[in-house]
Amino acid sequence: MDWSHRQRLVWGFLGFMFALFVAASLASGYYVDWLWFESLGYADVFWRSLAGRWLVGLAGGAVFGGLLLVNLWLALRDAPLLAPGVVAFPYQRWFRLRPLMLVVTAIALVLGGMAGIALAQEWLTFALLPRRVAFGVQDPLFGKDVSYYVFVVPALVAAHQLLNAATLLSLIAAVAAYAITGRVRLDGRWLSIHPHARVHLAVLLGFYLLLKAAGYWLATYRLLFSERGVAFGASYADIYAQLPALKALIVLSVLTALLAFATPALRNYRLLVAGLVAMLAASVVLGSVVPSLVQNFVVRPNEIVKETPFIKLNIEYTRRAYNLDRIREQPFPAAELLSARDLEKEAGTIGNIRLWDWRVLSSAFQQLQGIRTYYQFRDVDIDRYRIGDRLRQVVLAAREIDYARLPGKTWLNQHLKYTHGYGVVVSPASEVTREGQPPLWVKDIPPVQAPGVPEELRVERPEIYFGEHTDPYAIVGTREPEFHYPRGDENEYTTYAGRDGIPVGRPLARLAFALWTGDYNVLFSRALTPESRALIYRNIVARVNKIAPFLLYDRDPYLVVADGRLVWIQDAYTVTGAYPYSEPYGEGNVRFNYIRNSVKAVVDAYDGTVSFYLADPDDPLIKAYASLFPGLFQPLERLSPTLRAHLRYPEDLFLVQMDRYAKYHMQDPVVFYNKEDMWARPKEKVGVGTELRDVDPYYVIMQLPGEAAPEFLLMVPYTPVGRQNMIAWLAARSDGDRYGDLLVYKFPKQKVVYGPEQIEALIDQNDAIAEKLNLWNQQGSQVQRGNLLVIPVRDSLLYVEPIYLQSASTKLPELRRVVVAHGNRVVMEETLDQALRRLFGTAAPLPDQPEAPGGERPAADDLAKLVEEANRFFRELQDDLKTYGQRLERLGEVLRRLQEQAR
């Protein structure tokens, strides 16, 4: 055996091994995913998704590659190279027919495979087509149900794009093949085309022109999503100029296609060339120039008259697509004065005013309850629990592991030993200790409940194997004990007893997992046993997205303590951008013009169990998905009553609806056109510094006007565009049968109601408050301003802003003051109770503040408290006298100047 032969064998063996490695790596991904889906009970979802993707990909690849291969075969069939001396192509001598056929076959297979892979990404579009569910709403232009645009048109567009690209590429490839074989060549000044080539190319060109006509036909439907006019959707110019142009182009394309088919028989190219030139000219003149002229010289001078019918349609369909038509509007008198008796009647609202901002709490919890450096509180969730007979607003935070801060970043520590976070911190949102810190109802490791905290907050299974920031995989059931939690100078260890995990103890599964992760420590670690299991997709957002990637997920999953366990609730949405006349929201890949909160996903923090519940079973999109994946979604009635009590209206959906309602509350087309009553999110000062930021929606417990009891709401105020006064507030309900109800309370337009930015200005203009804040900022501390909460109380408003102080050395924020404003009065005190008493009178019967579980309320006549209160009043009196004297001096100066001018 010579050396060259040995080299070929070696290179062949290396190539085979490389191909085997690539194939094994690809197969390992499918195998690991199958094991994971099966472990969660969703194997059917895996197989349906895989089968759908492969079927659509293979069909698309076969069509694309088959069309290309057939046309190349027809072009090269019975076409030997020309006789010597006849050169139709500069490099013709390089080609031989048989090897060329093999090459083009390989090219067709590769391009077909690429097209199939691209089309496989659209497999859901084709899978949902036979499961189309009617929306019960017809478009006003073509009279078709909205489902036609959501389910049918996308499939037609995808199929058209595939056929159009395959036909065009086949035409180009056939021309090149005929040129190589000399059947298409320049003969002097003329183009010489073989009869066989003439027929073949004419048929290909005719089919391409028919596909062009189909493209114009599909473009007529895109007019319903036009952005040409003053409102989204088909406008005057689209209906009366663009639509006729498209119809004309369809007819012209079909006629030109017929000319192409007839050209071989006519043996005259002039008619075909004339048809192609006419198509090109018509596409420019009719498709672009004429609509532009109509828009500029017919519509624009009479825009309000011409566009009014289309503005009405845009308003109607946008309100439907975002559920804005369900918002109930009510007047809100915004009376200027509240009394202490009013506050007493609204104890449920006043007692739940949130004093802790989530940004501050995450830092406070980290300082107070971090325990170890590798524990992190990265997010704080707001929820409500019933404490005795009161509904209380609470804040919760999960203690997860920050793997970047592990004491030793070894493979064993990251994946086998430190497998889970531990415990939760729960604090009332409206209370503060004497030290200015949040009182902790549930704290420490292991979790400890404060005396008096109800059983509902009892945590029996505090381990967090699945969380918001738990990303690395973990292997459990190994010879290495899992770190449980620190206890003094020692550590407690545990063994995972949950149901989740894919088996990696078997050799095949271990090899597949190592290939899938690219981490070959799995292969060689002696800590693994036949019972070892790998926990993957531990980030809850990635976890639910892996199972149902066709849903859009809320950015803020939240934690619930339920039946002794820690459970995550993740809101999910069905969205589409194919709702006619509805104005889109978002940008890039996340752009839609229809949204429903159709699903609530629930993930157990310990065993990773995932359940999907139908929150809006009437949504046509979720009906189609449920038909495609039977068994994936469960009725909401199957969700445990404990968890159902903690469902809340999702903030991302509220933001979308709030943004759209700021414009689409205007239903009169003239008002809409002139933008006379546009609303906007107000501004506030939050955090450190003086920068103004948009007010974020916030959860409150309050008693709505006319209701008998307080409830859990998500709300946000509105201001008119370009102004700072408040015009309305929007609220979403979350409790019981009223879940999902949306209410807008509109203020009288003839009176000025202070907006958040104006209240911030009043705070900054208050000499006593400004002096105090400036003094704190100059003493090595940092002042942080919390959210300015606008709290509707009966038929009036309270404004509450907590003030925090954080030392540069300890980084532990403390609640030092509470600012309360009502009308045009602003006060700042150490507690909310003191601020309310100062604002509404010390002798007035203010509402009792709810007693913190495990705490003792100081007696009303406590001597130290009375002394402190007396001193505070004395200081206030001094400040008031000082201010009074300054104002007298200013008044005297003004009178003196007036007297001088009168002389």
Side-chain angles (χ1 to χ4, degrees), residues 421-704:
Y422 195 91
V424 64
V425 175
V426 182
S427 177
S430 58
E431 296 183 13
V432 60
T433 66
R434 294 194 178 192
E435 293 76 23
Q437 297 170 359
L440 305 179
W441 285 358
V442 179
K443 60 179 181 178
D444 295 344
I445 297 178
V448 175
Q449 289 176 251
V453 173
E455 287 296 300
E456 187 180 0
L457 285 169
R458 183 185 75 258
V459 181
E460 296 177 344
R461 181 59 80 179
E463 300 94 327
I464 302 175
Y465 283 86
F466 304 88
E468 287 187 85
H469 306 282
T470 303
D471 296 314
Y473 72 85
I475 300 179
V476 297
T478 67
R479 295 184 179 90
E480 187 69 32
E482 297 176 52
F483 170 78
H484 201 30
Y485 59 83
R487 183 189 291 273
D489 296 332
E490 300 180 352
N491 293 329
E492 289 288 325
Y493 295 91
T494 188
T495 300
Y496 179 71
R499 293 177 293 177
D500 189 69
I502 61 174
V504 291
R506 301 193 300 266
L508 179 60
R510 184 187 293 200
L511 175 61
F513 186 74
L515 288 171
W516 180 73
T517 59
D519 188 344
Y520 301 104
N521 289 294
V522 177
L523 287 176
F524 306 110
S525 174
R526 296 184 178 181
L528 272 63
T529 69
E531 290 75 33
S532 295
R533 287 175 291 159
L535 310 182
I536 59 176
Y537 301 117
R538 297 204 294 151
N539 183 293
I540 55 175
V541 177
R543 193 172 186 82
V544 295
N545 192 68
K546 181 67 178 178
I547 299 171
F550 45 84
L551 299 175
L552 179 66
Y553 292 94
D554 195 271
R555 292 171 296 176
D556 185 26
Y558 59 98
L559 189 66
V560 175
V561 180
D563 303 320
R565 303 178 74 90
L566 300 179
V567 178
W568 299 97
I569 297 180
Q570 170 77 70
D571 284 283
Y573 311 107
T574 50
V575 297
T576 180
Y579 201 97
Y581 274 101
S582 175
E583 183 171 314
Y585 178 89
E587 56 187 17
N589 294 329
V590 184
R591 192 170 189 261
F592 51 84
N593 64 1
Y594 170 93
I595 183 171
R596 292 292 185 271
N597 178 211
S598 300
V599 176
K600 302 284 186 179
V602 177
V603 183
D604 190 287
Y606 180 72
D607 62 22
T609 303
V610 182
S611 300
F612 296 89
Y613 296 94
L614 292 175
D616 187 357
D618 297 327
D619 170 40
L621 274 172
I622 204 61
K623 285 182 179 180
Y625 288 127
S627 174
L628 179 60
F629 299 107
L632 176 59
F633 303 105
Q634 304 178 50
L636 192 62
E637 291 73 20
R638 293 186 185 177
L639 182 63
S640 72
T642 304
L643 285 175
R644 288 190 69 181
H646 291 280
L647 296 181
R648 70 184 195 186
Y649 201 84
E651 188 172 349
D652 279 355
L653 175 60
F654 190 76
L655 279 167
V656 172
Q657 292 174 317
M658 178 197 70
D659 180 84
R660 282 291 161 262
Y661 196 74
K663 179 179 180 181
Y664 285 93
H665 72 278
M666 299 180 291
Q667 298 186 57
D668 184 282
V670 176
V671 175
F672 185 94
Y673 174 81
N674 292 320
K675 299 180 180 179
E676 296 176 17
D677 194 20
M678 285 282 290
W679 296 351
R681 291 168 67 178
K683 302 285 186 180
E684 66 171 340
K685 290 183 179 179
V686 63
V688 180
T690 59
E691 182 181 352
L692 289 168
R693 303 180 184 177
D694 288 338
V695 171
D696 292 325
Y698 45 88
Y699 291 97
V700 297
I701 291 179
M702 61 165 285
Q703 188 170 324
L704 286 171

Side-chain angles (χ1 to χ4, degrees), residues 243-259:
L243 182 58
L246 290 171
K247 290 180 178 179
L249 287 169
I250 291 172
V251 174
L252 192 56
S253 297
V254 172
L255 292 176
T256 310
L258 295 177
L259 282 175

Side-chain angles (χ1 to χ4, degrees), residues 214-495:
Y216 288 130
W217 171 66
L218 289 172
T220 62
Y221 294 130
R222 288 201 295 270
L223 294 180
L224 294 168
F225 310 94
S226 170
E227 300 184 34
R228 186 196 303 272
V230 295
F232 187 84
S235 63
Y236 183 93
D238 293 314
I239 301 284
Y240 296 104
Q242 193 75 55
L243 182 58
L246 290 171
K247 290 180 178 179
L249 287 169
I250 291 172
V251 174
L252 192 56
S253 297
V254 172
L255 292 176
T256 310
L258 295 177
L259 282 175
F261 290 138
T263 295
L266 297 174
R267 297 187 178 184
N268 189 331
Y269 303 105
R270 293 179 181 178
L271 288 176
L272 176 59
V273 171
L276 292 174
V277 171
M279 275 188 61
L280 179 61
S283 66
V284 174
V285 175
L286 297 180
S288 299
V289 176
V290 172
S292 179
L293 291 174
V294 170
Q295 179 69 29
N296 289 320
F297 297 103
V298 177
V299 176
R300 191 161 294 172
N302 309 282
E303 200 165 45
I304 185 61
V305 176
K306 299 294 186 182
E307 298 286 20
T308 290
F310 309 105
I311 293 174
K312 288 181 179 178
L313 292 172
N314 171 249
I315 294 172
E316 177 187 351
Y317 282 77
T318 300
R319 287 173 63 88
R320 283 180 179 173
Y322 293 97
N323 259 346
L324 305 183
D325 55 340
R326 293 176 48 197
I327 296 178
R328 186 157 49 93
E329 293 187 354
Q330 295 185 7
F332 192 83
E336 293 185 0
L337 296 178
L338 283 172
S339 67
R341 191 169 299 277
D342 291 329
L343 300 187
E344 185 179 38
K345 293 177 181 179
E346 299 288 335
T349 299
I350 302 301
N352 277 292
I353 293 177
R354 179 168 58 86
L355 298 179
W356 290 102
D357 184 77
W358 67 269
R359 302 171 185 84
V360 174
L361 269 180
S362 59
S363 178
F365 286 166
Q366 189 63 42
Q367 293 293 322
L368 296 172
Q369 285 287 298
I371 311 295
R372 294 289 188 270
T373 57
Y374 45 80
Y375 284 132
Q376 290 289 308
F377 296 95
R378 294 192 179 181
D379 190 30
V380 177
D381 297 315
I382 299 174
D383 202 352
R384 74 285 198 194
Y385 288 79
R386 190 161 293 279
I387 310 298
D389 61 345
R390 294 178 183 268
L391 190 65
R392 299 297 307 278
Q393 187 171 195
V394 301
V395 288
L396 306 89
R399 188 185 288 108
E400 297 188 58
I401 284 186
D402 183 353
Y403 283 89
R405 298 190 178 189
L406 286 178
K409 297 179 184 178
T410 63
W411 178 83
L412 187 143
N413 278 348
Q414 288 183 317
H415 300 292
L416 272 63
K417 183 173 287 292
Y418 292 89
T419 56
H420 57 278
Y422 195 91
V424 64
V425 175
V426 182
S427 177
S430 58
E431 296 183 13
V432 60
T433 66
R434 294 194 178 192
E435 293 76 23
Q437 297 170 359
L440 305 179
W441 285 358
V442 179
K443 60 179 181 178
D444 295 344
I445 297 178
V448 175
Q449 289 176 251
V453 173
E455 287 296 300
E456 187 180 0
L457 285 169
R458 183 185 75 258
V459 181
E460 296 177 344
R461 181 59 80 179
E463 300 94 327
I464 302 175
Y465 283 86
F466 304 88
E468 287 187 85
H469 306 282
T470 303
D471 296 314
Y473 72 85
I475 300 179
V476 297
T478 67
R479 295 184 179 90
E480 187 69 32
E482 297 176 52
F483 170 78
H484 201 30
Y485 59 83
R487 183 189 291 273
D489 296 332
E490 300 180 352
N491 293 329
E492 289 288 325
Y493 295 91
T494 188
T495 300

